[in-house]
């Protein structure tokens, strides 16, 4: 995977693009005017690994809340703006580290110019955030969805570049995965700016994470994408955990433990699913990039378990514990979890990696 | 997406390859010798959309069980064979519709020849099922994982072709997603046979489905793959539902309802997550390819809801119900679910599509 080269941007303390690690972001689902609830959710997001957080700014009060929220949190804050450019100005004044403008509902060039002047003064990047659900109906009605998303973004980029503004990031999100992939592929060669990837309105966690993984995964595999947001109808930490799983599966980020576990079959002589669930529960407490295998039988068990930092390969009502390729002990089924955790804890003692 | 051309095979009543719909498969997790439990799980699998089911055959009794199981189920049955070619012969005799042989642990050419003669006599296809966890340590130890998986498969294919056997399917599974993608890409151009895709030992449903979606999704997007199995440490119907989500996200299969729902944010004035969950629960009862949108606000709400068969776009404590692009009614928040379901039920009355 060769990464596409893009011009790096600073969103607060986080670099996006230019070969920086792919940043993981989400959005608060609280009322931004409710400062306490929003600060609380941002802190939860920071704890679960979020690196950039976006907040809806539907009115002046929400914009002003940013200045208060900013005092209590350390994650970079991006203001999500629709319809009213005044809200972009107010969010900048309140200290937003980034703006997202939707070209589908802010298109007046003079209004955009005023926002650009204020953003440039402060060195604040702007994401051109296109969404298939909010394209003007009269915008290139005969073109494909991918073309329409690309063209509305290119139009906005042109306006920005004409005013010598280039702190630009772009996203082109749709629910339609092939259209989203096509749109990002088309724009990737046309502009030098970082790309923010996402599949919009992807749904509830189970289906939505899969849909996002396919769309974002195909693009990342092609080297496209500098930051990602998984959109799920769920607590935002579910979005973060899905985002890291996507990145980890392609070897693009390390984050927390990885559990390799077999699906079980008629060959298994231990209860693989129950054991995998129990191990996973223990691993959730360990924030280390450890790879743990739980395997039911001898077919692939020892092979995968050897490849993991620590692993179990099950046998008849018992199992072998492997560590860095060597059997270190065997235990009966009911003691396997404890034996495995003892090895994990000795391999990764507190505070050490 | 141009599909790779492959020679079609018949696994029982299901065609795999040659441009047939990408078949969805899973594996029983019961003891195959426990005929009642296995039949029961196969029936569950049929109900949840599985099209081909594989069973572990670790001993003669398991092989013989196939003949009894086959009388009670209609899904094609594939016998999963490791180590002992006698079990392949016994499974064929018992009426298996397909075999999976692991070239990592059955490599004796005379033994393979005996299996091929028996399979050919009955017109039964064989999958060469390579798994990274069971490659012989001494097989091309200096090559990459992808090369090793491809080469061991090509070796086995050569043996089969030399004996004029070509009812072949191939899989090259690893936990390592980039290695798996690379392996399938390498072999796709070298052989004309259908490819069975999977990421092995992918783990528990949440992480495992994402990992599988990235790996299988990247390949399907490239036109590679004729049948898929998502491997999860969970009930096999979870594997089927994840498989269909992957295929649906790329427009490769239709299966059941699709829920478009927004992640919610500080702009939403209805409880999107709760409503989406409630709608999803109702949709689980409807086995129709309907697209339903649950959107929190006016930004993308009406746009996405218009694109869906039926949708809700939320406003302040109320919402509009859209149907095929037109607002058909508005309702207060607590009545939205009922209003939506009334529209869905009238759009898709029982027994009609």
């Amino acid at each position: 995977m060769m990464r596409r080269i893009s011009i790096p941007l600073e969103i607060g303390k986080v670099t996006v693009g230019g070969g920086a690690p792919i940043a993981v972001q989400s959005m608060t689902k609280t009322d931004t005017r409710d400062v306490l609830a929003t600060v609380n959710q941002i802190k939860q997001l920071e704890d679960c690994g979020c690196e950039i957080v976006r907040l809806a700014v539907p009115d002046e009060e929400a914009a002003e809340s940013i200045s208060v929220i900013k005092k209590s949190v350390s994650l970079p804050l991006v203001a999500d703006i629709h319809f009213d450019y005044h809200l972009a100005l107010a969010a900048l004044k309140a200290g937003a580290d980034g703006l997202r403008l939707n070209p589908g509902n802010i298109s007046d060039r003079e209004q955009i110019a005023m926002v650009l002047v204020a953003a440039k003064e402060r060195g604040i990047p702007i994401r051109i955030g296109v969404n298939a659900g909010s394209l003007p109906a009269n915008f290139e009605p005969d073109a494909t969805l991918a073309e329409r998303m690309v063209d509305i973004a290119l139009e906005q980029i042109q306006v920005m570049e004409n005013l010598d503004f280039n702190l630009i990031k772009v996203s082109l999100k749709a629910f339609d995965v092939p259209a989203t992939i096509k749109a990002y592929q088309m724009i990737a060669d046309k502009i030098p700016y970082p790309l923010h990837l996402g599949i919009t309105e992807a749904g509830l966690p189970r289906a939505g994470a899969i849909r996002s993984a396919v769309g974002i995964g195909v693009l990342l595999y092609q080297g496209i994408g500098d930051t990602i947001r998984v959109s799920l109808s769920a607590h935002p930490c579910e979005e973060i955990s899905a985002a890291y799983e996507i990145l980890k599966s392609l070897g693009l980020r390390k984050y927390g433990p990885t559990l390799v576990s077999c699906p079980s079959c008629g060959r298994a002589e231990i209860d693989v699913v129950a054991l995998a669930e129990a191990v996973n529960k223990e691993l959730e407490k360990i924030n280390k990039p450890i790879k743990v295998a739980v395997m039911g039988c001898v077919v692939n068990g020892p092979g995968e378990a050897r490849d993991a930092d620590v692993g179990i390969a099950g046998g008849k009502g018992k199992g072998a514990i492997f560590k860095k390729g060597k059997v270190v002990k065997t235990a009966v089924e009911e003691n396997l979890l404890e034996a495995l955790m003892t090895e994990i804890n000795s391999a990764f003692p507190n505070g050490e990696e």
Side-chain angles (χ1 to χ4, degrees), chain A:
Chain A
M1 286 179 280
M2 281 280 291
R3 294 269 303 273
R4 165 182 172 268
I5 309 290
S6 64
I7 300 173
L9 289 177
E10 304 297 323
I11 318 285
K13 63 186 175 183
V14 177
T15 305
V16 173
I22 291 163
V24 170
Q25 51 177 296
S26 182
M27 191 165 179
T28 50
K29 304 187 179 190
T30 51
D31 184 333
T32 310
R33 296 165 300 190
D34 183 342
V35 170
L36 267 181
T38 304
V39 164
N40 188 32
Q41 194 162 75
I42 294 172
K43 287 185 172 170
Q44 289 172 0
L45 276 165
E46 184 163 17
D47 284 348
C48 69
C50 181
E51 296 169 321
I52 298 170
V53 65
R54 183 156 47 111
L55 303 88
V57 179
D59 62 20
E60 289 279 344
E61 192 186 338
E64 286 157 17
S65 299
I66 290 175
S67 65
V68 191
I69 293 166
K70 216 176 143 68
K71 287 178 191 140
S72 305
V73 301
S74 66
L75 287 183
L77 304 181
V78 176
D80 194 61
I81 310 292
H82 297 271
F83 308 113
D84 186 353
Y85 79 103
H86 292 105
L87 299 174
L89 297 174
L92 287 169
K93 210 172 138 193
D97 300 296
L99 291 183
R100 179 265 173 124
L101 301 184
N102 183 336
N105 55 41
I106 301 186
S107 59
D108 181 289
R109 294 185 180 209
E110 288 178 26
Q111 293 178 0
I112 294 171
M114 280 189 274
V115 177
L116 297 183
V117 168
K120 199 173 176 182
E121 218 173 79
R122 293 170 172 85
I124 298 299
I126 297 178
R127 167 158 67 99
I128 299 175
V130 178
N131 187 302
S134 48
L135 290 170
N138 60 357
F139 183 81
E140 301 182 358
D142 299 327
T144 64
L145 175 56
E147 288 165 348
R148 295 175 74 211
M149 293 201 290
V150 168
D151 287 348
I152 204 166
L154 291 176
E155 237 183 57
Q156 190 96 294
I157 289 168
Q158 196 59 62
V159 172
M160 292 185 168
E161 287 178 342
N162 286 347
L163 292 165
D164 203 24
F165 186 88
N166 54 19
L167 300 174
I168 301 172
K169 230 187 346 170
V170 177
S171 64
L172 308 165
K173 301 187 188 180
F175 179 78
D176 181 327
V177 172
T180 308
I181 293 170
K182 184 75 192 155
Y184 280 104
Q185 286 172 335
M186 284 165 69
I187 211 161
D189 294 331
K190 291 194 168 78
I191 59 168
Y193 306 114
L195 295 174
H196 161 130
L197 305 184
I199 300 298
T200 197
E201 288 105 30
L204 291 167
R206 210 159 63 163
I210 290 175
R211 178 168 279 270
S212 299
V214 172
I216 294 173
V218 166
L219 287 164
L220 289 174
Y221 188 79
Q222 296 176 353
I224 295 172
D226 301 286
T227 176
I228 70 174
R229 190 252 172 133
V230 175
S231 297
L232 299 175
S233 303
H235 189 281
C237 281
E238 295 245 22
E239 300 184 354
I240 299 302
S241 116
Y244 279 109
E245 290 302 336
I246 294 171
L247 293 169
K248 282 163 68 178
S249 73
L250 289 169
L252 292 166
R253 292 288 301 264
K254 287 186 177 189
Y255 191 80
T258 297
L259 180 66
V260 181
S261 67
C262 86
S264 189
C265 70
R267 190 178 293 277
E269 295 177 304
I270 60 169
D271 185 343
V272 178
V273 175
L275 184 59
E277 284 169 352
V279 169
N280 193 55
K281 211 168 162 185
E282 292 297 320
L283 291 179
E284 281 172 0
K285 304 172 194 161
I286 300 173
N287 192 18
K288 303 281 161 58
I290 186 175
K291 188 174 175 190
V292 179
V294 176
M295 306 292 295
C297 81
V298 294
V299 173
N300 306 309
E304 277 294 346
R306 257 197 299 273
D307 187 44
D309 294 306
V310 188
I312 292 172
K316 197 172 173 59
K318 60 175 188 176
I321 307 285
F322 284 83
K323 195 169 157 180
K324 299 279 179 201
K326 291 204 174 73
V327 179
V328 291
K329 80 176 71 147
T330 58
V332 294
E333 184 169 3
E334 49 278 28
N335 297 338
L336 278 173
L337 177 63
E338 197 191 328
L340 180 75
M341 293 315 299
T342 304
E343 293 308 322
I344 290 175
N345 291 329
S346 80
F348 288 83
N350 263 353
E352 196 202 308
E353 266 181 57

